[in-house]
Each structure stands twice: as C-alpha cells, then as structure tokens.
Amino acid sequence: APQRTGTDGANALRKRFEVHAETTTSAPASAVYDLLADPASHLVWGGERQGSSSRLLTIDAPAAPVVVGDEFATTGADPMGSFADRSVVTEATPSSVFEFVTEATLTTKRGATSVWTNVHRYEITAGEQGCRVDYTLRVTRISALPGMLVTLNWPGFSALAIKAGAGLAGRGLANLTAMAEERSPS
C-alpha cells in the first residue's frame, strides 16, 4: 500500500532517493550564492545552458535576492513530458547554504500526471582559491509512477535512474559555477 506523508498525499515510492553532485570553482562563495538567490539566473544555468530535453523554460519569482519563505514557480521540459513547479525557499544563509522545496507536477507525453516533492540543497564551502559546491536533490515523494517511472521502485533500475539524475545534476552545477566564474572579477 502507498505510504502517507503527512498532508502531502500518497507516496508511490518504496523509499526516498537522493542524487548528489559536487564541484569546485575559482568563483568566490558569494558569487555562487548570489546566483542561487536570484531565481532569474536559474533560467540561464538551469535553462538556456542545460540540454534541450531537460531544462527550465519559464520562471515567475520575486526580485533577487530571495529569502526564506519566498516562493517561485517554474515550467520546463523533461524527457518524459513537461513539468510545472511551485517552490519555497527553506534555507538561505549567504555564501553558505541555499535550499528550496519543490512541489513538481510532471505531465507525461501521454497525459499522465505525477506530483513530486523534491528538496534541493546547495552547500557552499569557501576556500583559498574559490569554493566547493555540494548539491543534493532528495526526492521524498512521488504520487504516481506512470510509464518508465515504475522502475524507480526496482532496485537495479533505481540505481541507474539515480546515476542518470546525478549526471543531469552535475551538468546544472557545472553551468552554475561557470556562470559564477564569468561574473566574478579576475
């Protein structure tokens, strides 16, 4: 039987899963944080610079910098279809941590919908020559597993999905840090 997760509804996942990516950059921690706290920049590093099959397409957000409690909405492309998301900033510690929780609605190409709860966390550690950025995506709930998403509950296949997700997350993180480097004085 599906789990219940508080008021969030049924959970078709047998267990939560995480995707992790990390990188170092010559950009200062403040430059990385400033981009994270500016949702409009997400359209560049998570949209324009991302692959065409999985990317942000639109964003409706308050002016930067966003703070804890601020909400924003996005739409985007996904290999399975499209998504429409609502996010809220849950942690915003300048030059250190930026986290937001997303309620994402995936609509497949066949018209099925699936609502996901995702926690996006960026931890930034300043160093002598820039900083390190650790990104973790925790998928805590999926309301339904249409089509190939059913494989998320199959042990061997879920590992492949996590590996694919880590690749996508790594690309987004590389785009973020490259943009921070471009905007940082040499």
Side-chain angles (χ1 to χ4, degrees):
Q3 297 175 202
R4 299 296 291 179
T5 53
T7 59
D8 294 335
N11 191 353
L13 283 177
R14 289 190 183 134
K15 66 177 188 172
R16 296 176 182 186
F17 68 89
E18 279 189 11
V19 171
H20 185 78
E22 59 190 56
T23 192
T24 57
T25 177
S26 61
S30 60
V32 173
Y33 181 86
D34 289 349
L35 289 173
L36 290 168
D38 178 7
S41 79
H42 296 213
L43 273 179
V44 178
W45 61 266
E48 295 169 17
R49 296 185 182 189
Q50 201 67 342
S52 62
S53 66
S54 185
R55 64 188 300 170
L56 289 176
L57 298 174
T58 66
I59 193 161
D60 180 16
V66 293
V67 296
V68 172
D70 282 348
E71 297 183 17
F72 56 97
T74 58
T75 63
D78 183 88
M80 289 189 60
S82 62
F83 59 85
D85 300 346
R86 298 217 43 89
S87 299
V88 62
V89 178
T90 53
E91 189 169 349
T93 305
S95 299
S96 180
V97 177
F98 189 79
E99 179 183 89
F100 58 97
V101 176
T102 301
E103 289 292 319
T105 301
L106 169 69
T107 302
T108 69
K109 293 175 183 172
R110 294 186 177 199
T113 60
S114 179
V115 180
W116 300 45
T117 303
N118 303 319
V119 180
H120 303 267
R121 183 174 180 85
Y122 296 84
E123 296 180 351
I124 308 163
T125 306
E128 290 181 29
Q129 300 293 321
C131 66
R132 174 187 169 104
V133 185
D134 291 282
Y135 169 67
T136 303
L137 165 65
R138 287 190 328 270
V139 179
T140 62
R141 179 184 68 91
I142 302 178
S143 65
L145 300 173
M148 292 302 294
L149 286 178
V150 73
T151 62
L152 293 175
N153 280 336
W154 301 351
F157 288 97
S158 65
L160 291 174
I162 290 169
K163 185 174 181 177
L168 183 62
R171 213 171 347 186
L173 194 55
N175 293 339
L176 167 66
T177 56
M179 192 170 168
E181 290 170 4
E182 292 164 12
R183 292 185 175 194
S184 298
S186 304

